[in-house]
Amino acid sequence: MIISSMTIMITLIISFVVMIVAFLVSKKTIMDREKNTPFECGFDPKGSARLPFSLRFFLIAVIFLIFDVEITLLLPLATILKLVNVFSWLTTGLFFILILLLGLYHEWNQGALDWAD
């Protein structure tokens, strides 16, 4: 019991020391105009360095990630086919695909997939 409490104390002390050192080292000490501006071959920038953010591209990327994760959730259905009842396997798979298709239809109906607008 005394070894585990001693180990916990040492771990906490080392963690706090590392956090304090990282906090002190990561501080920027010099904040001037040249360090805050973007670098363009030594000249002052002609325009804003921030490009306009395409919200439509962001929405398409998020939709892609959601459907990509859902495909990884569908992959185990193929491996458990021999382990479970075929009716329950088919019901679960079709229900999950139906939910995906309803979500895709909703996104399509809302116009989130129209890139040309």
Side-chain angles (χ1 to χ4, degrees):
M1 192 66 158
I2 212 158
I3 293 173
S4 64
S5 64
M6 184 65 103
T7 305
I8 291 172
M9 287 299 288
I10 291 173
T11 305
L12 286 175
I13 290 171
I14 291 174
S15 299
F16 282 124
V17 167
V18 168
M19 285 178 13
I20 290 171
V21 168
F23 179 74
L24 293 175
V25 171
S26 69
K27 283 280 193 185
K28 287 186 178 180
T29 56
I30 301 173
M31 297 295 279
D32 60 351
R33 188 179 87 78
E34 293 299 323
K35 290 213 181 246
N36 290 333
T37 59
F39 181 71
E40 289 186 10
C41 301
F43 299 106
D44 286 334
K46 293 180 180 180
S48 174
R50 304 277 183 201
L51 297 175
F53 184 72
S54 172
L55 188 61
R56 185 159 306 273
F57 177 77
F58 177 74
L59 289 175
I60 296 290
V62 168
I63 291 169
F64 171 76
L65 285 175
I66 289 170
F67 281 102
D68 194 37
V69 168
E70 290 169 350
I71 287 173
T72 61
L73 293 174
L74 278 173
L75 284 176
L77 279 177
T79 59
I80 65 166
L81 177 61
K82 295 183 180 184
L83 301 174
V84 297
N85 183 8
V86 175
F87 179 72
S88 67
W89 178 83
L90 191 62
T91 305
T92 305
L94 288 177
F95 183 68
F96 194 76
I97 290 174
L98 178 70
I99 291 173
L100 288 177
L101 288 175
L102 286 174
L104 180 63
Y105 174 73
H106 178 69
E107 292 294 330
W108 191 358
N109 196 19
Q110 293 294 320
L113 300 178
D114 294 333
W115 186 262
D117 286 343

